[in-house]
């Protein structure tokens, strides 16, 4: 079938080359799509929520009292340096909770079961919808959820 090992090797190499070209093409299309998606979201303003919302530190007393954090579509709250809303307190986990918007409503979910997330004094075990003036407790820190409808 193949006269020499060289013939077989050249056929195998041509298939590997074709697979490599196909792989590069797929990755290029994926990257172009991701760039398009980011540009479109920035241009259309898809990251802007329909409700202007924020959380405000309401306890404990100290320098941080009254500090406000505007909310985006998705927010990670915690003491970690990569969090969207950084709460540098010992009683707050690295990534403690998430506040996100879905169907024009805000929800909170616990990301760590050990320290827990409390809304109006009740420990949450799954995502829970937030309402105006809800009190959120992460460790010893209390935040108040505020929402102002656009329009």
């Amino acid at each position: 079938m193949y006269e020499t090992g060289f013939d077989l090797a050249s056929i195998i190499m041509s298939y590997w080359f074709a697979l490599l070209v196909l792989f590069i093409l797929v990755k290029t299309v994926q990257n172009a799509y991701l760039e398009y998606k980011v540009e479109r979201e920035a241009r259309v303003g898809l990251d802007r929520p329909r409700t202007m919302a924020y959380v405000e530190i309401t306890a404990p007393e100290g320098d941080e009292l009254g500090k406000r954090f505007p909310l985006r579509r998705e927010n990670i709250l915690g003491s970690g340096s990569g969090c969207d809303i950084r709460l540098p307190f010992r009683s707050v986990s690295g990534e403690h909770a998430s506040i996100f918007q879905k169907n024009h409503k805000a929800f909170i979910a616990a990301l760590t079961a050990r320290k827990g997330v409390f809304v109006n004094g009740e420990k949450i075990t799954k995502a829970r919808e937030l309402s105006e003036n809800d009190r959120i407790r992460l460790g010893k820190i209390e935040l108040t959820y505020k929402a102002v409808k656009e329009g």
Side-chain angles (χ1 to χ4, degrees):
M1 185 176 208
Y2 299 107
E3 292 181 21
T4 65
F6 181 75
D7 292 338
L8 180 61
S10 68
I11 291 172
I12 291 172
M13 292 300 287
S14 65
Y15 281 114
W16 275 107
F17 181 74
L19 286 173
L20 179 64
V21 169
L22 182 62
F23 176 78
I24 291 171
L25 180 64
V26 167
K27 287 298 181 185
T28 303
V29 169
Q30 283 178 338
N31 287 338
Y33 174 72
L34 289 175
E35 286 180 21
Y36 162 77
K37 189 175 171 184
V38 168
E39 283 180 24
R40 182 175 173 269
E41 286 177 358
R43 189 173 54 247
V44 178
L46 294 178
D47 194 36
R48 263 193 20 224
R50 300 220 191 302
T51 301
M52 300 303 295
Y54 63 91
V55 290
E56 180 178 356
I57 296 179
T58 51
E61 299 292 326
D63 294 340
E64 302 291 325
L65 185 65
K67 189 172 183 180
R68 292 181 178 181
F69 300 94
L71 297 175
R72 298 182 320 178
R73 191 161 284 204
E74 293 182 24
N75 310 269
I76 303 295
L77 291 75
S79 60
S81 60
C83 291
D84 301 309
I85 297 176
R86 188 160 185 275
L87 303 167
F89 300 96
R90 298 178 101 188
S91 63
V92 178
S93 297
E95 289 187 349
H96 203 114
S98 171
I99 296 179
F100 59 95
Q101 289 194 18
K102 185 175 181 181
N103 298 327
H104 310 293
K105 297 176 183 177
F107 293 85
I108 187 166
L111 297 178
T112 177
R114 197 180 88 214
K115 294 187 179 179
V117 175
F118 296 82
V119 177
N120 298 326
E122 180 182 321
K123 186 173 183 173
I124 64 169
T125 57
K126 59 182 182 178
R128 178 192 188 281
E129 185 177 349
L130 288 171
S131 300
E132 181 76 17
N133 294 317
D134 274 350
R135 290 174 291 109
I136 303 163
R137 188 165 54 85
L138 309 175
K140 296 179 182 176
I141 304 308
E142 186 172 291
L143 306 163
T144 301
Y145 173 78
K146 302 281 188 176
V148 179
K149 302 281 184 193
E150 284 184 350

